[in-house]
Amino acid sequence: MNFYVMTLFPDMIISGLNTSITGRAIDKGIISLNAVNIRDFTIDRHNHVDDYPYGGGAGMVMQAQPVYDCYKYIENKIKKKPRVIFMTPAGKTFNQEMAVNLAQEENIVFLCGHYEGIDERVLEMIVTDNVSIGDYVLTGGELPAMVMIDAISRNVKGVLNNEESAVTESFYQNLLEYPQYTRPETFMDKKVPEVLLSGHHANIERWRRNQSLLKTYNVRPDLFERAKLDKKDIKFLREQGIKINDK
Ligand code: SAM
């Protein structure tokens, strides 16, 4: 899977993703990361890539020409029209389902805005998806693109090894993950739950599932509404005094 990032700050992208699990996946060639500097494509003799907004107002706007030429350079390299994701607070909010779906693509291009944003005309010409990482405004699209690349990569085959499987993690089946513990057994008088020391796999699985259900119910009722519950789940939740409608 190949990630291309159109940015004014390529070093930020490379240094942010070249470590840990994504760095290992890049080294192994499972994913590739190409940060392309939009400034390299400006035809302005002072190397400018931004200008004042028409109609007035605060800040600067990134110009269409360098962004368009940068995109064309990538499109020529790929030799087909890729998915182009513009990072914008005005986009659809990124979530795990989108990460899983996007992991099926062969090439994804991210476009990172800076300053007040990018000239609308080039966005209309090249962008296929507008995506936000949350309801707040950041300085640039670089951190959002890195967030997406990290989350998507975890769902690309071979990126996680077995011990790091994405299957039991939060958001799988619309449930949050159960609590985790490691050695020592007692930390400042706080003991690890007894069941986890029992070696009884079925009981451990049930306990973990129950913890996931309770955590999701308490912390993310919106997610819990979409969780797929089986008979054992419903029985447990009712025992906890939680009202569940049989569907
Ligand atoms: N004027 C823009 C607006 O109000 O929608 C905000 C511009 S912001 C200062 C600069 C750039 O940061 C944006 O073009 C976008 O690429 C990126 N950005 C900021 N917040 C973001 C978010 N929540 N999700 C994705 N990208 C974001």
Side-chain angles (χ1 to χ4, degrees):
M1 171 154 205
N2 307 303
F3 295 108
Y4 295 84
V5 185
M6 300 165 65
T7 171
L8 291 173
F9 301 96
D11 293 350
M12 197 174 165
I13 302 287
I14 299 295
S15 55
L17 291 168
N18 242 343
T19 50
S20 185
I21 291 175
T22 45
R24 187 182 68 197
I26 294 166
D27 283 348
K28 281 190 183 167
I30 304 168
I31 59 174
S32 79
L33 179 65
N34 311 276
V36 189
N37 195 340
I38 296 170
R39 199 178 293 280
D40 289 346
F41 296 85
T42 180
I43 52 173
D44 179 90
R45 59 197 174 100
H46 301 294
N47 256 1
H48 287 160
V49 288
D50 58 340
D51 212 327
Y52 294 101
Y54 276 120
M60 302 292 271
V61 175
M62 285 169 66
Q63 292 170 293
Q65 175 273 318
V67 173
Y68 185 77
D69 288 353
C70 180
Y71 166 74
K72 275 290 168 192
Y73 164 79
I74 295 169
E75 193 193 78
N76 285 340
K77 247 179 127 166
I78 299 173
K79 295 191 178 70
K80 52 183 149 185
K81 268 198 178 313
R83 197 104 175 237
V84 180
I85 299 177
F86 176 43
M87 303 312 318
T88 167
K92 191 172 168 197
T93 310
F94 184 55
N95 61 24
Q96 183 70 7
E97 192 186 343
M98 286 159 80
V100 171
N101 289 338
L102 286 167
Q104 308 302 317
E105 299 283 335
E106 195 184 334
N107 302 292
I108 303 181
V109 179
F110 292 90
L111 172 56
C112 304
H114 232 86
Y115 318 118
E116 278 313 303
I118 301 182
D119 189 307
E120 189 69 21
R121 291 166 294 183
V122 70
L123 299 178
E124 286 167 3
M125 291 162 80
I126 68 172
V127 170
T128 59
D129 304 72
N130 291 285
V131 181
S132 161
I133 60 159
D135 289 347
Y136 38 79
V137 179
L138 297 159
T139 309
E142 286 73 16
L143 286 170
M146 285 192 263
V147 165
M148 283 190 68
I149 293 170
D150 185 304
I152 294 166
S153 298
R154 299 176 68 79
N155 294 286
V156 173
K157 199 163 176 274
V159 169
L160 295 185
N161 56 40
N162 284 343
E163 285 154 25
E164 299 156 345
S165 164
V167 163
T168 58
E169 282 181 324
S170 293
F171 304 111
Y172 177 69
Q173 294 187 342
N174 286 322
L175 290 173
L176 302 178
E177 199 189 47
Y178 48 80
Q180 302 268 20
Y181 301 86
T182 187
R183 283 200 278 194
E185 256 180 64
T186 306
F187 173 69
M188 291 185 159
D189 291 339
K190 284 170 88 70
K191 282 192 179 322
V192 169
E194 207 53 52
V195 62
L196 299 179
L197 310 174
S198 68
H200 191 300
H201 291 298
N203 287 354
I204 292 172
E205 281 309 297
R206 190 62 250 169
W207 181 86
R208 286 181 164 165
R209 176 85 183 175
N210 290 347
Q211 295 301 311
S212 280
L213 293 165
L214 285 180
K215 193 169 180 179
T216 315
Y217 177 80
N218 288 320
V219 179
R220 289 290 305 274
D222 56 315
L223 205 61
F224 184 79
E225 273 191 15
R226 288 179 275 139
K228 221 170 168 239
L229 306 179
D230 62 23
K231 282 196 177 129
K232 283 187 185 162
D233 296 337
I234 294 171
K235 182 169 174 280
F236 167 74
L237 289 162
R238 286 191 175 141
E239 282 165 7
Q240 307 303 306
I242 296 169
K243 279 196 183 133
I244 303 287
N245 296 327
D246 268 329
K247 282 173 201 146

